[in-house]
Amino acid sequence: MDNSSNFDDNSDVGYQPSPSSVDQNDHSITENVGYSPLFSGESFAYCRSNSEVSNFSEPIDDNSFASEPSPSLWTPMKHGASQAALSRLGVKQHRHSVDEKSDDLDLLETELDMMRERFSKLLLGEDMSGGGKGVCTAVTISNSITNLCATAFGQNLKLEPLKPEKKGMWRREMNCLLSVCDYIVEFSPTAQYLEDGTIVEMMTSKPRSDIYINLPALQKLDTMLIEILDSFQDTEFWYAEQGSISGNSTRSRGGSFRRIVQRKDEKWWLPVPCVHTGGLSDKSRKHLNEKRDCANQIHKAAMAINSSALAEMDIPETYMSNLPKSGRTSLGDTIYRCMYSADKFSPDHLLDCLKISSEHEALELADKVESSMFTWRRKACLSHSKTSWNKVKDLMADTDRSDKNYILAERAETLLFCLKQRYPELSQTSLDTCKIQYNQDVGKAILESYSRVLEGLAFNIVAWIEDVLLADKSMRNQNV
């Protein structure tokens, strides 16, 4: 599983199915899915998502519509209908004098044609040949959200407000993608009173519970993250490229000689935060700490929603069929003996003994523990009458708790939980990747991808703030 991603305009934002470009035809799903750090910024060293340039948000030049007409099935719309449609999509409607009405109409039609083209590609499932070889709708929308986030936030590597055009594109196109959720409903019986007083029971529709609860929360987190970035306008810090002198930075400051705090890590691609020789003021430092705490809470909330969405996705049969025959062979004799022979299993002690030194090692261990856990669960359930491995957790309740495989599966689950607690920014495991790749539930795909990209953005903001606070601390220590 490729956990690397680059997040500039071809950036890397969560899951992800690392979405394939819409202009690439007949690519297999396995080529489209990869999961790793979100952005190419500091935070994305461990963030759980990546992507390439947005297909849904790809730039279109003025000549694109002349060479690539809209699909013939799209019927022309009158000006009034165009305005109503664009209003629903959040597209800005321009109002000028009577002499400019024709120009406004041309602009509206151009924007509407652009939306038609992008939605056509969305409905084709990233298969421009029309031959039905595209991915399913759930994966397509998940890819679109990931790509859109990469396009909107991919070049944003600093604590500064998002550019107005990027912010407008993010809000407008997310409204389009999220509008699908308006039609995902569930039916429930409701009492209806007729005019004669008779009570009848009728089935009425209401928003699906997981979407009704989580989607408004994600939209609120989205707004809060944008507000955090908008709060960094007139700041006491500025940025310079790594290795450059402060005089070459984009923001000039009074004075001639200021030292830039050099990075001691390998994040050479990130701009370096710079502060005055005396450090930041108390007000600015307090503001940074408050925003860091807020972004950290947003990160935890988005991660919780993402984990919940992934947990509710069915385990693909493909994953179950490719499980190792022996959990012991997968984990190795050393870990197996620690898990099975100990009377009181301590996952924390085992992790301390393993001395994991990198995210790659932690992710590799997580994959092995997870696959071994399901291997032992499958063996523990072999005698059960049911055969659906998607419900394997339910089957464990009917299994003898003294069974060897049951004990090992429970300890593997505990070890995996502790491992994820110790490395909260761990990239998605092979099971998570497989779930997203084969998921066909559009609602779960939207919740998973939306929460993932917000999780990555929040993690980035926390890291950028900590960079500034570290630079402030270094400058203050130099004056002591």
Side-chain angles (χ1 to χ4, degrees):
M1 177 177 64
D2 184 9
N3 287 317
S4 63
S5 60
N6 296 325
F7 200 92
D8 46 83
D9 227 358
N10 288 334
S11 134
D12 50 331
V13 170
Y15 74 84
Q16 353 164 111
S18 177
S20 61
S21 174
V22 171
D23 294 327
Q24 297 174 348
N25 299 341
D26 300 333
H27 281 251
S28 65
I29 293 178
T30 55
E31 293 174 336
N32 290 336
V33 181
Y35 302 75
S36 59
L38 214 69
F39 303 154
S40 63
E42 166 171 57
S43 56
F44 295 5
Y46 297 98
C47 218
R48 303 192 303 164
S49 114
N50 81 39
S51 80
E52 301 173 359
V53 177
S54 171
N55 302 323
F56 190 68
S57 310
E58 60 186 354
I60 298 177
D61 58 34
D62 295 335
N63 300 322
S64 61
F65 299 103
S67 58
E68 295 181 318
S70 300
S72 59
L73 291 180
W74 288 98
T75 57
M77 298 180 66
K78 296 182 180 180
H79 178 44
S82 299
Q83 288 182 326
L86 290 171
S87 177
R88 174 67 179 87
L89 299 176
V91 177
K92 182 178 181 181
Q93 300 184 21
H94 303 271
R95 296 181 179 178
H96 301 292
S97 63
V98 177
D99 296 337
E100 296 176 343
K101 283 186 177 180
S102 60
D103 294 336
D104 292 344
L105 179 58
D106 292 339
L107 177 60
L108 290 172
E109 290 179 348
T110 299
E111 291 181 344
L112 185 58
D113 284 341
M114 183 184 301
M115 300 304 294
R116 287 172 178 169
E117 180 180 352
R118 293 175 181 176
F119 267 104
S120 298
K121 292 179 178 181
L122 185 68
L123 295 174
L124 286 171
E126 302 181 3
D127 174 22
M128 299 302 104
S129 70
K133 298 179 181 180
V135 297
C136 70
T137 305
V139 176
T140 302
I141 292 182
S142 180
N143 287 354
S144 297
I145 292 176
T146 303
N147 285 343
L148 175 59
C149 188
T151 304
F153 298 97
Q155 292 181 325
N156 193 45
L157 303 178
K158 307 174 183 178
L159 288 175
E160 61 184 8
L162 195 63
K163 294 181 179 179
E165 59 272 17
K166 294 288 187 179
K167 186 189 300 185
M169 179 188 67
W170 168 253
R171 289 176 174 172
R172 179 175 66 249
E173 298 192 10
M174 277 303 298
N175 285 337
C176 296
L177 294 171
L178 296 180
S179 64
V180 178
C181 295
D182 295 341
Y183 304 94
I184 300 178
V185 298
E186 58 187 9
F187 294 93
S188 60
T190 304
Q192 297 288 338
Y193 294 87
L194 302 182
E195 294 180 356
D196 59 359
T198 305
I199 301 177
V200 296
E201 190 176 76
M202 300 180 63
M203 299 298 292
T204 58
S205 63
K206 62 179 182 179
R208 207 172 73 181
S209 57
D210 58 337
I211 295 176
Y212 180 77
I213 295 173
N214 292 318
L215 186 57
L218 289 173
Q219 291 175 311
K220 179 62 176 178
L221 298 179
D222 185 350
T223 302
M224 293 172 67
L225 288 174
I226 298 296
E227 289 176 351
I228 290 176
L229 290 177
D230 288 343
S231 68
F232 293 102
Q233 292 187 0
D234 298 323
T235 60
E236 296 180 7
F237 58 88
W238 68 103
Y239 288 89
E241 297 301 326
Q242 174 74 324
S244 65
I245 61 174
S246 59
N248 293 334
S249 61
T250 56
R251 183 181 304 185
S252 61
R253 298 286 180 172
S256 303
F257 303 100
R258 293 185 178 84
R259 289 170 290 181
I260 298 177
V261 178
Q262 298 296 324
R263 294 185 181 276
K264 297 181 181 180
D265 52 28
E266 298 177 356
K267 299 163 187 172
W268 51 267
W269 62 90
L270 291 177
V272 182
C274 309
V275 298
H276 286 295
T277 304
L280 300 173
S281 65
D282 293 338
K283 180 179 179 181
S284 179
R285 193 177 302 114
K286 180 181 179 181
H287 175 259
L288 284 167
N289 283 314
E290 289 176 350
K291 297 305 178 183
R292 180 187 60 183
D293 294 340
C294 181
N296 192 45
Q297 292 301 317
I298 294 174
H299 175 261
K300 292 180 179 179
M303 181 181 292
I305 295 176
N306 184 264
S307 299
S308 176
L310 283 171
E312 292 179 0
M313 291 183 182
D314 294 334
I315 301 174
E317 293 295 335
T318 302
Y319 180 82
M320 298 301 297
S321 61
N322 291 329
L323 288 175
K325 295 182 179 180
S326 170
R328 178 173 184 172
T329 303
S330 176
L331 282 177
D333 290 338
T334 302
I335 299 179
Y336 176 82
R337 284 195 296 268
C338 292
M339 293 179 60
Y340 182 65
S341 60
D343 294 334
K344 292 184 178 181
F345 175 63
S346 174
D348 290 320
H349 177 70
L350 176 57
L351 292 176
D352 291 337
C353 294
L354 293 176
K355 297 180 180 180
I356 300 173
S357 59
S358 67
E359 183 204 7
H360 176 75
E361 292 182 5
L363 182 60
E364 185 178 11
L365 177 60
D367 282 335
K368 292 179 179 179
V369 172
E370 196 165 48
S371 61
S372 299
M373 177 182 68
F374 283 102
T375 298
W376 287 320
R377 284 182 173 177
R378 180 171 60 181
K379 289 182 177 181
C381 299
L382 281 178
S383 59
H384 201 277
S385 59
K386 299 180 181 179
T387 59
S388 174
W389 299 120
N390 289 333
K391 300 179 180 179
V392 68
K393 289 186 177 180
D394 296 335
L395 302 182
M396 293 299 293
D398 301 328
T399 306
D400 183 7
R401 294 181 178 271
S402 62
D403 181 77
K404 169 186 173 182
N405 292 311
Y406 179 88
I407 296 174
L408 288 171
E410 289 295 297
R411 291 183 174 182
E413 184 177 15
T414 305
L415 178 60
L416 182 63
F417 177 79
C418 291
L419 182 62
K420 290 183 176 181
Q421 288 289 315
R422 184 169 295 195
Y423 303 96
E425 289 81 36
L426 197 65
S427 300
Q428 289 154 324
T429 63
S430 297
L431 177 58
D432 295 336
T433 303
C434 195
K435 281 183 174 182
I436 297 170
Q437 177 181 349
Y438 290 97
N439 170 56
Q440 295 184 357
D441 188 308
V442 175
K444 293 177 182 177
I446 290 176
L447 293 178
E448 189 282 325
S449 56
Y450 196 12
S451 61
R452 173 169 33 81
V453 298
L454 294 182
E455 174 190 332
L457 179 59
F459 185 81
N460 259 7
I461 291 175
V462 172
W464 296 336
I465 293 176
E466 289 179 347
D467 270 355
V468 176
L469 292 175
L470 179 61
D472 171 57
K473 182 179 180 181
S474 299
M475 296 305 294
R476 285 187 288 114
N477 290 339
Q478 291 175 4
N479 296 327
V480 176

